[in-house]
């Protein structure tokens, strides 16, 4: 049976519906029609006769099981993610004008003049539409309306701990040093950089601002070149298990006591099961070690980074249960971005640096839907769920380690402890101890400003994932411009310190100048 969609105004179908019910513009397939009565919308049995009012020039068409009917104008890939974030028979589409029918449980159809639709596990994830009708079993979005609270209430809860990390070997970095990158997502927006004396070693790391005792480190490097960060992993524990973990405490302990990857292995072995952890730990040391430890409550698996290569993780573990976890879209995007940098494109075989990872942390690319949400002079709204930066993003940190021959305390954190699209990175030297740029220390003014800017981008209070494109572009432009200055200045100092020796006076001068530049940045943001 051919399912069709017409422009609003065809009413002959409505004459055969129950009293008081009027057909909307979509016949929803499987013998049902969308109908409305006093604000309620339901899928009712469709009229059994052919509606003569449907004219060929009004037929938008149907896309179902890769077959096109009627007169569709369809653009882009049609694919989706299942409940477990793997491809299945649902759909995802970017369409100028089309009707979509899907076999997923909740989504039924879309008629949009200009729209982007993303589903996962049959639940609605995102819609940008200038004019459209969306039908689900729990709500309707039509003609400029927004999602109802009922749709939001019934959507699957998504983990806030949606971090993305990567490890780059010394041979794959521009500085010739190993690197760890972490884009941190968390419920708490406030983060800061602090220098802490651990049980054995001092270290510099990323902490929640509320953690005044610095017991929860979520990324850092110590004075002997040991560095660590993590992603929560959602497929190492049994399905339905509590995801409360002690990952932050473990990393703080590791930074304060470990020198090598073998020390970290011994630390894991010393913890009695259940350890209270479920994470992919990214670890590097000053001896050339670089590896992921996919560690759960009772076991762990180590994945060493090949020399000249790299590894990355999102919120599932390679060694974990198949078909579970989260972050599959982000994993695919990182795979593409890093492969493009390392071996594809117009400038192949380029190496990695802090600038690359900060750009990745602000990338509104999702390779599963085929493109960049900010390309092609797009305006209006975007829905940012499956991008690397998310509404829950609270920091982006690149840790540059040391190699044999370097001072052991020569590590650098390129730190942006805030919502990455609105927060730029500054260098923090481990050897400088507590002499940290004031913009990222203490209450971290850079963090506070990024939170303010993030909230200004959110169109709807009930869902911060809808972002206004025009102000987002403006903020990104200013952030990238400011960051280029800090990275250029930081790299020059880093080269100077490697060629001669660490200069505390030069760091203090840099920190003072960076604070002045931040004040100028704030004025530019507020002026624009």
């Amino acid at each position: 049976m051919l399912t069709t969609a017409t422009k609003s105004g065809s009413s002959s179908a409505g004459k055969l519906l129950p009293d008081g019910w009027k057909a909307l513009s979509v016949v929803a397939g499987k013998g049902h029609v969308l109908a409305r009565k006093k604000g309620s919308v339901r899928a009712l049995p469709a009229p059994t006769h052919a509606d003569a009012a449907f004219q060929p020039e009004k037929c938008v068409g149907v896309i179902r099981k890769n077959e096109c009917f009627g007169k569709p104008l369809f653009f882009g890939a049609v694919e989706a993610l299942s409940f477990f974030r793997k491809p299945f028979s649902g759909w995802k589409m970017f369409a100028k004008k089309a009707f979509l029918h899907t076999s997923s449980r909740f989504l039924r159809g879309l008629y949009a003049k200009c729209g982007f639709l993303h589903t996962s596990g049959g639940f609605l994830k995102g819609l940008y539409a200038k004019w459209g009708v969306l039908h689900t079993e729990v709500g309707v979005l039509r003609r400029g309306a927004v999602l109802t609270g009922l749709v939001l209430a019934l959507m699957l809860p998504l983990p806030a701990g949606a971090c993305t990390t990567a490890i780059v070997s010394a041979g794959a970095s521009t500085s010739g040093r190993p690197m760890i990158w972490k884009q941190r997502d968390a419920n708490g927006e406030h983060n800061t950089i602090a220098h802490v004396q651990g049980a054995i070693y001092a270290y510099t790391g990323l902490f929640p601002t509320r953690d005044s005792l610095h017991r929860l480190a979520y990324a850092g490097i110590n004075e002997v070149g040991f560095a660590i960060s993590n992603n929560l992993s959602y497929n190492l524990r049994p399905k339905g298990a509590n995801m409360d973990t002690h990952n932050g405490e473990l990393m703080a302990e590791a930074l304060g006591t470990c020198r090598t990857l073998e020390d970290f292995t011994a630390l894991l072995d010393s913890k009695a099961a259940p350890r209270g952890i479920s994470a992919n730990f990214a670890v590097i040391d000053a001896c050339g070690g670089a590896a992921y430890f996919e560690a759960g409550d009772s076991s762990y698996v180590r994945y060493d980074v090949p020399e000249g290569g790299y590894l990355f993780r999102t919120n599932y573990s390679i060694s974990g249960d198949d078909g579970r976890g989260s972050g599959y879209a982000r994993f695919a995007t990182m795979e593409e971005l890093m492969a493009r940098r390392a071996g594809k494109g117009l400038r192949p075989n380029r190496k990695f640096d802090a600038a690359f990872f900060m750009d990745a942390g602000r990338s509104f690319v999702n390779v599963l839907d085929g493109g960049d949400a900010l390309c092609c002079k797009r305006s209006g709204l975007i829905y940012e769920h499956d991008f690397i930066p998310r509404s829950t993003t609270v920091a982006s940190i690149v840790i540059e380690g040391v190699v044999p021959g370097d001072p052991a305390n020569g590590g650098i954190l390129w730190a942006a402890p805030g919502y990455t699209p609105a927060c730029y990175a500054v260098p923090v030297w481990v050897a400088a101890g507590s002499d940290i740029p004031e913009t990222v220390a203490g209450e971290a003014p850079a963090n506070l400003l990024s939170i303010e800017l993030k909230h200004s981008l959110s169109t709807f209070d009930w869902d911060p994932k809808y972002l206004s494109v025009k102000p987002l572009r403006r903020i990104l432009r200013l952030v990238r411009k400011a960051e280029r200055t800090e990275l250029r200045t930081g790299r020059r100092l880093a080269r100077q310190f490697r060629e001669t020796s660490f200069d505390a006076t030069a760091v203090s001068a840099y920190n003072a100048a960076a604070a002045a530049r931040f004040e100028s940045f704030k004025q530019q943001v507020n002026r624009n």
Side-chain angles (χ1 to χ4, degrees), residues 181-184 189 191-193 206 357-358 361-362 393-398 413-428 439-440 444 446-447 450 479 483 487:
W181 170 61
K182 177 173 183 174
Q183 179 104 331
R184 183 175 186 239
E189 295 177 301
N191 286 261
T192 189
I193 303 297
L206 174 70
F357 287 111
M358 289 298 167
R362 302 185 187 101
T393 295
V394 298
S396 192
I397 304 291
V398 177
L413 283 82
W414 304 91
Y419 177 61
T420 313
C423 186
Y424 60 85
V426 295
V428 181
T439 59
V440 299
N447 170 267
S450 76
V479 166
E483 188 171 81
L487 294 182

mmCIF file of all heavy atoms in Angstrom, residues 181-184 189 191-193 206 357-358 361-362 393-398 413-428 439-440 444 446-447 450 479 483 487:
data_model
loop_
_atom_site.group_PDB
_atom_site.id
_atom_site.type_symbol
_atom_site.label_atom_id
_atom_site.label_comp_id
_atom_site.label_asym_id
_atom_site.label_seq_id
_atom_site.Cartn_x
_atom_site.Cartn_y
_atom_site.Cartn_z
ATOM 1 N N TRP A 181 44.332 13.535 25.673
ATOM 2 C CA TRP A 181 43.269 14.546 25.564
ATOM 3 C C TRP A 181 42.020 14.028 26.251
ATOM 4 O O TRP A 181 41.677 12.849 26.133
ATOM 5 C CB TRP A 181 42.950 14.842 24.115
ATOM 6 C CG TRP A 181 41.700 15.682 23.919
ATOM 7 C CD1 TRP A 181 41.473 16.944 24.369
ATOM 8 C CD2 TRP A 181 40.521 15.300 23.199
ATOM 9 N NE1 TRP A 181 40.222 17.395 23.968
ATOM 10 C CE2 TRP A 181 39.618 16.391 23.252
ATOM 11 C CE3 TRP A 181 40.144 14.141 22.510
ATOM 12 C CZ2 TRP A 181 38.357 16.356 22.649
ATOM 13 C CZ3 TRP A 181 38.897 14.120 21.909
ATOM 14 C CH2 TRP A 181 38.019 15.214 21.976
ATOM 15 N N LYS A 182 41.370 14.913 26.982
ATOM 16 C CA LYS A 182 40.075 14.570 27.567
ATOM 17 C C LYS A 182 39.087 15.705 27.378
ATOM 18 O O LYS A 182 39.360 16.843 27.767
ATOM 19 C CB LYS A 182 40.202 14.272 29.066
ATOM 20 C CG LYS A 182 38.835 13.987 29.720
ATOM 21 C CD LYS A 182 38.964 13.522 31.148
ATOM 22 C CE LYS A 182 37.587 13.187 31.725
ATOM 23 N NZ LYS A 182 37.661 12.594 33.073
ATOM 24 N N GLN A 183 37.959 15.394 26.772
ATOM 25 C CA GLN A 183 36.806 16.290 26.753
ATOM 26 C C GLN A 183 35.862 15.765 27.831
ATOM 27 O O GLN A 183 35.289 14.685 27.696
ATOM 28 C CB GLN A 183 36.117 16.275 25.388
ATOM 29 C CG GLN A 183 34.899 17.168 25.303
ATOM 30 C CD GLN A 183 35.162 18.451 24.539
ATOM 31 O OE1 GLN A 183 36.282 18.938 24.525
ATOM 32 N NE2 GLN A 183 34.150 18.994 23.903
ATOM 33 N N ARG A 184 35.742 16.519 28.915
ATOM 34 C CA ARG A 184 34.985 16.027 30.061
ATOM 35 C C ARG A 184 33.537 16.487 29.999
ATOM 36 O O ARG A 184 33.243 17.663 29.783
ATOM 37 C CB ARG A 184 35.625 16.501 31.377
ATOM 38 C CG ARG A 184 34.892 15.940 32.588
ATOM 39 C CD ARG A 184 35.562 16.272 33.908
ATOM 40 N NE ARG A 184 34.862 15.560 34.972
ATOM 41 C CZ ARG A 184 34.279 16.134 36.016
ATOM 42 N NH1 ARG A 184 34.336 17.454 36.183
ATOM 43 N NH2 ARG A 184 33.639 15.416 36.914
ATOM 44 N N GLU A 189 28.908 21.807 36.389
ATOM 45 C CA GLU A 189 29.493 22.663 35.355
ATOM 46 C C GLU A 189 30.819 23.284 35.783
ATOM 47 O O GLU A 189 31.612 23.690 34.935
ATOM 48 C CB GLU A 189 28.531 23.798 35.006
ATOM 49 C CG GLU A 189 27.233 23.332 34.371
ATOM 50 C CD GLU A 189 26.301 24.497 34.115
ATOM 51 O OE1 GLU A 189 25.950 25.189 35.090
ATOM 52 O OE2 GLU A 189 25.930 24.713 32.946
ATOM 53 N N ASN A 191 34.513 23.686 37.053
ATOM 54 C CA ASN A 191 35.787 22.971 37.103
ATOM 55 C C ASN A 191 36.923 23.965 37.266
ATOM 56 O O ASN A 191 36.813 25.137 36.877
ATOM 57 C CB ASN A 191 36.009 22.173 35.817
ATOM 58 C CG ASN A 191 35.131 20.946 35.746
ATOM 59 O OD1 ASN A 191 35.572 19.850 36.043
ATOM 60 N ND2 ASN A 191 33.890 21.115 35.334
ATOM 61 N N THR A 192 38.033 23.473 37.798
ATOM 62 C CA THR A 192 39.191 24.329 38.023
ATOM 63 C C THR A 192 40.465 23.521 37.872
ATOM 64 O O THR A 192 40.448 22.280 37.925
ATOM 65 C CB THR A 192 39.117 24.968 39.429
ATOM 66 O OG1 THR A 192 40.140 25.954 39.558
ATOM 67 C CG2 THR A 192 39.293 23.918 40.524
ATOM 68 N N ILE A 193 41.576 24.236 37.708
ATOM 69 C CA ILE A 193 42.894 23.612 37.651
ATOM 70 C C ILE A 193 43.621 23.924 38.957
ATOM 71 O O ILE A 193 43.631 25.073 39.420
ATOM 72 C CB ILE A 193 43.716 24.151 36.465
ATOM 73 C CG1 ILE A 193 42.959 23.941 35.148
ATOM 74 C CG2 ILE A 193 45.082 23.471 36.411
ATOM 75 C CD1 ILE A 193 42.713 22.496 34.782
ATOM 76 N N LEU A 206 42.826 18.534 36.868
ATOM 77 C CA LEU A 206 41.481 19.091 36.707
ATOM 78 C C LEU A 206 40.597 18.559 37.820
ATOM 79 O O LEU A 206 40.504 17.343 38.023
ATOM 80 C CB LEU A 206 40.902 18.680 35.346
ATOM 81 C CG LEU A 206 39.451 19.050 35.073
ATOM 82 C CD1 LEU A 206 39.298 20.559 34.900
ATOM 83 C CD2 LEU A 206 38.941 18.318 33.826
ATOM 84 N N PHE A 357 43.123 18.912 19.043
ATOM 85 C CA PHE A 357 42.149 18.363 19.985
ATOM 86 C C PHE A 357 41.174 19.434 20.477
ATOM 87 O O PHE A 357 39.996 19.136 20.713
ATOM 88 C CB PHE A 357 42.864 17.688 21.144
ATOM 89 C CG PHE A 357 43.496 16.376 20.754
ATOM 90 C CD1 PHE A 357 44.868 16.235 20.694
ATOM 91 C CD2 PHE A 357 42.703 15.290 20.425
ATOM 92 C CE1 PHE A 357 45.444 15.028 20.316
ATOM 93 C CE2 PHE A 357 43.263 14.075 20.047
ATOM 94 C CZ PHE A 357 44.637 13.944 19.991
ATOM 95 N N MET A 358 41.640 20.656 20.635
ATOM 96 C CA MET A 358 40.702 21.707 21.009
ATOM 97 C C MET A 358 39.685 21.946 19.895
ATOM 98 O O MET A 358 38.496 22.168 20.163
ATOM 99 C CB MET A 358 41.464 22.989 21.338
ATOM 100 C CG MET A 358 42.240 22.905 22.640
ATOM 101 S SD MET A 358 41.151 22.631 24.068
ATOM 102 C CE MET A 358 42.349 22.201 25.340
ATOM 103 N N GLY A 361 37.184 19.252 20.065
ATOM 104 C CA GLY A 361 36.263 19.484 21.165
ATOM 105 C C GLY A 361 35.196 20.514 20.860
ATOM 106 O O GLY A 361 34.215 20.630 21.602
ATOM 107 N N ARG A 362 35.387 21.276 19.777
ATOM 108 C CA ARG A 362 34.390 22.259 19.348
ATOM 109 C C ARG A 362 33.757 21.872 18.014
ATOM 110 O O ARG A 362 33.109 22.700 17.371
ATOM 111 C CB ARG A 362 35.039 23.636 19.207
ATOM 112 C CG ARG A 362 35.686 24.144 20.472
ATOM 113 C CD ARG A 362 36.209 25.567 20.309
ATOM 114 N NE ARG A 362 36.966 25.921 21.498
ATOM 115 C CZ ARG A 362 38.294 25.911 21.572
ATOM 116 N NH1 ARG A 362 39.011 25.590 20.500
ATOM 117 N NH2 ARG A 362 38.904 26.237 22.697
ATOM 118 N N THR A 393 29.189 19.248 28.429
ATOM 119 C CA THR A 393 30.639 19.409 28.362
ATOM 120 C C THR A 393 31.091 20.475 29.351
ATOM 121 O O THR A 393 30.558 21.584 29.374
ATOM 122 C CB THR A 393 31.068 19.801 26.941
ATOM 123 O OG1 THR A 393 30.777 18.712 26.053
ATOM 124 C CG2 THR A 393 32.559 20.102 26.882
ATOM 125 N N VAL A 394 32.084 20.140 30.170
ATOM 126 C CA VAL A 394 32.529 21.060 31.221
ATOM 127 C C VAL A 394 34.019 21.372 31.154
ATOM 128 O O VAL A 394 34.490 22.244 31.899
ATOM 129 C CB VAL A 394 32.172 20.505 32.614
ATOM 130 C CG1 VAL A 394 30.666 20.375 32.770
ATOM 131 C CG2 VAL A 394 32.856 19.168 32.872
ATOM 132 N N ALA A 395 34.775 20.708 30.291
ATOM 133 C CA ALA A 395 36.214 20.995 30.208
ATOM 134 C C ALA A 395 36.823 20.253 29.027
ATOM 135 O O ALA A 395 36.297 19.226 28.578
ATOM 136 C CB ALA A 395 36.944 20.589 31.492
ATOM 137 N N SER A 396 37.935 20.785 28.553
ATOM 138 C CA SER A 396 38.764 20.081 27.577
ATOM 139 C C SER A 396 40.213 20.292 27.975
ATOM 140 O O SER A 396 40.658 21.433 28.168
ATOM 141 C CB SER A 396 38.512 20.600 26.161
ATOM 142 O OG SER A 396 39.102 19.741 25.203
ATOM 143 N N ILE A 397 40.943 19.193 28.146
ATOM 144 C CA ILE A 397 42.316 19.234 28.651
ATOM 145 C C ILE A 397 43.217 18.412 27.730
ATOM 146 O O ILE A 397 42.903 17.259 27.427
ATOM 147 C CB ILE A 397 42.409 18.651 30.080
ATOM 148 C CG1 ILE A 397 41.468 19.372 31.028
ATOM 149 C CG2 ILE A 397 43.852 18.701 30.583
ATOM 150 C CD1 ILE A 397 41.848 20.795 31.323
ATOM 151 N N VAL A 398 44.306 19.008 27.278
ATOM 152 C CA VAL A 398 45.349 18.263 26.565
ATOM 153 C C VAL A 398 46.575 18.223 27.469
ATOM 154 O O VAL A 398 47.088 19.270 27.875
ATOM 155 C CB VAL A 398 45.705 18.911 25.221
ATOM 156 C CG1 VAL A 398 46.854 18.142 24.560
ATOM 157 C CG2 VAL A 398 44.488 18.937 24.302
ATOM 158 N N LEU A 413 49.843 21.145 30.835
ATOM 159 C CA LEU A 413 48.406 20.995 30.598
ATOM 160 C C LEU A 413 47.947 22.180 29.753
ATOM 161 O O LEU A 413 48.149 23.336 30.140
ATOM 162 C CB LEU A 413 47.610 20.993 31.904
ATOM 163 C CG LEU A 413 47.610 19.729 32.756
ATOM 164 C CD1 LEU A 413 48.877 19.691 33.595
ATOM 165 C CD2 LEU A 413 46.378 19.705 33.651
ATOM 166 N N TRP A 414 47.366 21.897 28.611
ATOM 167 C CA TRP A 414 46.693 22.927 27.831
ATOM 168 C C TRP A 414 45.230 22.864 28.274
ATOM 169 O O TRP A 414 44.496 21.953 27.904
ATOM 170 C CB TRP A 414 46.860 22.666 26.347
ATOM 171 C CG TRP A 414 48.306 22.564 25.917
ATOM 172 C CD1 TRP A 414 49.052 21.429 25.851
ATOM 173 C CD2 TRP A 414 49.163 23.643 25.543
ATOM 174 N NE1 TRP A 414 50.330 21.726 25.440
ATOM 175 C CE2 TRP A 414 50.432 23.083 25.243
ATOM 176 C CE3 TRP A 414 48.997 25.025 25.416
ATOM 177 C CZ2 TRP A 414 51.511 23.853 24.823
ATOM 178 C CZ3 TRP A 414 50.074 25.792 25.000
ATOM 179 C CH2 TRP A 414 51.309 25.212 24.707
ATOM 180 N N ALA A 415 44.846 23.826 29.098
ATOM 181 C CA ALA A 415 43.617 23.687 29.885
ATOM 182 C C ALA A 415 42.534 24.673 29.465
ATOM 183 O O ALA A 415 42.760 25.886 29.458
ATOM 184 C CB ALA A 415 43.931 23.876 31.368
ATOM 185 N N ALA A 416 41.375 24.116 29.151
ATOM 186 C CA ALA A 416 40.162 24.904 28.917
ATOM 187 C C ALA A 416 39.086 24.334 29.843
ATOM 188 O O ALA A 416 38.286 23.489 29.430
ATOM 189 C CB ALA A 416 39.724 24.822 27.460
ATOM 190 N N PRO A 417 39.056 24.752 31.100
ATOM 191 C CA PRO A 417 38.158 24.118 32.086
ATOM 192 C C PRO A 417 36.743 24.681 32.052
ATOM 193 O O PRO A 417 36.229 25.193 33.040
ATOM 194 C CB PRO A 417 38.850 24.446 33.412
ATOM 195 C CG PRO A 417 39.462 25.787 33.170
ATOM 196 C CD PRO A 417 39.888 25.788 31.730
ATOM 197 N N GLY A 418 36.100 24.580 30.910
ATOM 198 C CA GLY A 418 34.738 25.068 30.775
ATOM 199 C C GLY A 418 34.083 24.445 29.556
ATOM 200 O O GLY A 418 34.627 23.520 28.947
ATOM 201 N N TYR A 419 32.918 24.953 29.206
ATOM 202 C CA TYR A 419 32.199 24.501 28.002
ATOM 203 C C TYR A 419 33.069 24.844 26.801
ATOM 204 O O TYR A 419 33.280 26.002 26.463
ATOM 205 C CB TYR A 419 30.853 25.198 27.936
ATOM 206 C CG TYR A 419 30.041 24.882 26.705
ATOM 207 C CD1 TYR A 419 29.632 23.580 26.426
ATOM 208 C CD2 TYR A 419 29.656 25.899 25.827
ATOM 209 C CE1 TYR A 419 28.880 23.295 25.304
ATOM 210 C CE2 TYR A 419 28.888 25.624 24.712
ATOM 211 C CZ TYR A 419 28.504 24.323 24.449
ATOM 212 O OH TYR A 419 27.750 24.045 23.333
ATOM 213 N N THR A 420 33.605 23.823 26.135
ATOM 214 C CA THR A 420 34.686 24.017 25.170
ATOM 215 C C THR A 420 34.364 24.991 24.041
ATOM 216 O O THR A 420 35.239 25.786 23.664
ATOM 217 C CB THR A 420 35.125 22.653 24.591
ATOM 218 O OG1 THR A 420 35.300 21.729 25.667
ATOM 219 C CG2 THR A 420 36.430 22.783 23.848
ATOM 220 N N PRO A 421 33.162 24.989 23.455
ATOM 221 C CA PRO A 421 32.898 25.979 22.410
ATOM 222 C C PRO A 421 32.989 27.418 22.896
ATOM 223 O O PRO A 421 33.077 28.343 22.082
ATOM 224 C CB PRO A 421 31.466 25.637 21.968
ATOM 225 C CG PRO A 421 31.319 24.186 22.252
ATOM 226 C CD PRO A 421 32.075 23.993 23.542
ATOM 227 N N ALA A 422 32.972 27.636 24.209
ATOM 228 C CA ALA A 422 33.009 28.992 24.757
ATOM 229 C C ALA A 422 34.189 29.204 25.699
ATOM 230 O O ALA A 422 34.202 30.163 26.465
ATOM 231 C CB ALA A 422 31.702 29.294 25.483
ATOM 232 N N CYS A 423 35.190 28.337 25.648
ATOM 233 C CA CYS A 423 36.329 28.427 26.571
ATOM 234 C C CYS A 423 37.602 28.057 25.818
ATOM 235 O O CYS A 423 37.653 27.003 25.179
ATOM 236 C CB CYS A 423 36.124 27.482 27.759
ATOM 237 S SG CYS A 423 37.368 27.620 29.061
ATOM 238 N N TYR A 424 38.615 28.911 25.874
ATOM 239 C CA TYR A 424 39.851 28.624 25.151
ATOM 240 C C TYR A 424 40.936 28.134 26.111
ATOM 241 O O TYR A 424 40.896 28.383 27.314
ATOM 242 C CB TYR A 424 40.321 29.835 24.354
ATOM 243 C CG TYR A 424 40.629 31.085 25.147
ATOM 244 C CD1 TYR A 424 41.874 31.274 25.740
ATOM 245 C CD2 TYR A 424 39.687 32.103 25.271
ATOM 246 C CE1 TYR A 424 42.170 32.421 26.452
ATOM 247 C CE2 TYR A 424 39.969 33.270 25.977
ATOM 248 C CZ TYR A 424 41.213 33.423 26.556
ATOM 249 O OH TYR A 424 41.503 34.568 27.265
ATOM 250 N N ALA A 425 41.918 27.440 25.539
ATOM 251 C CA ALA A 425 42.953 26.787 26.337
ATOM 252 C C ALA A 425 44.111 27.732 26.624
ATOM 253 O O ALA A 425 44.484 28.561 25.787
ATOM 254 C CB ALA A 425 43.463 25.546 25.618
ATOM 255 N N VAL A 426 44.696 27.566 27.803
ATOM 256 C CA VAL A 426 45.938 28.251 28.179
ATOM 257 C C VAL A 426 46.901 27.199 28.723
ATOM 258 O O VAL A 426 46.473 26.173 29.255
ATOM 259 C CB VAL A 426 45.690 29.344 29.247
ATOM 260 C CG1 VAL A 426 44.814 30.454 28.692
ATOM 261 C CG2 VAL A 426 45.074 28.751 30.512
ATOM 262 N N PRO A 427 48.203 27.422 28.587
ATOM 263 C CA PRO A 427 49.171 26.436 29.081
ATOM 264 C C PRO A 427 49.386 26.563 30.583
ATOM 265 O O PRO A 427 49.437 27.660 31.138
ATOM 266 C CB PRO A 427 50.451 26.791 28.313
ATOM 267 C CG PRO A 427 50.308 28.254 28.011
ATOM 268 C CD PRO A 427 48.849 28.495 27.809
ATOM 269 N N VAL A 428 49.506 25.407 31.240
ATOM 270 C CA VAL A 428 49.799 25.340 32.671
ATOM 271 C C VAL A 428 50.980 24.391 32.833
ATOM 272 O O VAL A 428 50.904 23.226 32.438
ATOM 273 C CB VAL A 428 48.591 24.824 33.478
ATOM 274 C CG1 VAL A 428 48.922 24.786 34.968
ATOM 275 C CG2 VAL A 428 47.348 25.673 33.214
ATOM 276 N N THR A 439 42.933 32.720 35.293
ATOM 277 C CA THR A 439 41.681 32.501 34.551
ATOM 278 C C THR A 439 41.154 31.085 34.703
ATOM 279 O O THR A 439 39.959 30.838 34.519
ATOM 280 C CB THR A 439 41.875 32.803 33.056
ATOM 281 O OG1 THR A 439 42.904 31.953 32.532
ATOM 282 C CG2 THR A 439 42.258 34.246 32.845
ATOM 283 N N VAL A 440 42.058 30.111 35.041
ATOM 284 C CA VAL A 440 41.632 28.717 35.141
ATOM 285 C C VAL A 440 41.823 28.150 36.539
ATOM 286 O O VAL A 440 41.557 26.971 36.771
ATOM 287 C CB VAL A 440 42.384 27.841 34.117
ATOM 288 C CG1 VAL A 440 42.095 28.292 32.694
ATOM 289 C CG2 VAL A 440 43.905 27.845 34.381
ATOM 290 N N ALA A 444 38.027 30.011 38.775
ATOM 291 C CA ALA A 444 38.195 29.855 37.325
ATOM 292 C C ALA A 444 37.264 30.762 36.526
ATOM 293 O O ALA A 444 36.236 30.314 36.010
ATOM 294 C CB ALA A 444 38.007 28.394 36.923
ATOM 295 N N ALA A 446 37.414 31.778 33.609
ATOM 296 C CA ALA A 446 37.155 31.254 32.255
ATOM 297 C C ALA A 446 36.020 30.239 32.275
ATOM 298 O O ALA A 446 35.206 30.185 31.344
ATOM 299 C CB ALA A 446 38.427 30.625 31.691
ATOM 300 N N ASN A 447 35.975 29.425 33.315
ATOM 301 C CA ASN A 447 34.884 28.459 33.467
ATOM 302 C C ASN A 447 33.548 29.168 33.662
ATOM 303 O O ASN A 447 32.545 28.827 33.017
ATOM 304 C CB ASN A 447 35.186 27.547 34.653
ATOM 305 C CG ASN A 447 34.019 26.658 35.045
ATOM 306 O OD1 ASN A 447 33.225 27.020 35.908
ATOM 307 N ND2 ASN A 447 33.900 25.513 34.408
ATOM 308 N N SER A 450 32.329 30.734 30.432
ATOM 309 C CA SER A 450 31.857 29.740 29.460
ATOM 310 C C SER A 450 30.466 29.236 29.812
ATOM 311 O O SER A 450 29.653 28.965 28.919
ATOM 312 C CB SER A 450 32.842 28.565 29.377
ATOM 313 O OG SER A 450 32.736 27.691 30.494
ATOM 314 N N VAL A 479 36.552 32.694 20.369
ATOM 315 C CA VAL A 479 37.305 31.719 21.163
ATOM 316 C C VAL A 479 38.520 31.218 20.393
ATOM 317 O O VAL A 479 39.636 31.143 20.938
ATOM 318 C CB VAL A 479 36.392 30.547 21.567
ATOM 319 C CG1 VAL A 479 37.204 29.369 22.095
ATOM 320 C CG2 VAL A 479 35.386 30.992 22.623
ATOM 321 N N GLU A 483 42.397 31.683 21.417
ATOM 322 C CA GLU A 483 43.195 30.482 21.681
ATOM 323 C C GLU A 483 44.444 30.430 20.826
ATOM 324 O O GLU A 483 45.500 29.961 21.285
ATOM 325 C CB GLU A 483 42.341 29.240 21.450
ATOM 326 C CG GLU A 483 43.020 27.954 21.880
ATOM 327 C CD GLU A 483 42.062 26.793 21.838
ATOM 328 O OE1 GLU A 483 41.831 26.243 20.733
ATOM 329 O OE2 GLU A 483 41.515 26.443 22.901
ATOM 330 N N LEU A 487 48.047 29.566 22.425
ATOM 331 C CA LEU A 487 48.807 28.387 21.999
ATOM 332 C C LEU A 487 50.134 28.799 21.379
ATOM 333 O O LEU A 487 51.176 28.161 21.616
ATOM 334 C CB LEU A 487 47.989 27.566 21.012
ATOM 335 C CG LEU A 487 46.715 26.904 21.546
ATOM 336 C CD1 LEU A 487 46.044 26.077 20.460
ATOM 337 C CD2 LEU A 487 47.020 26.034 22.757
#
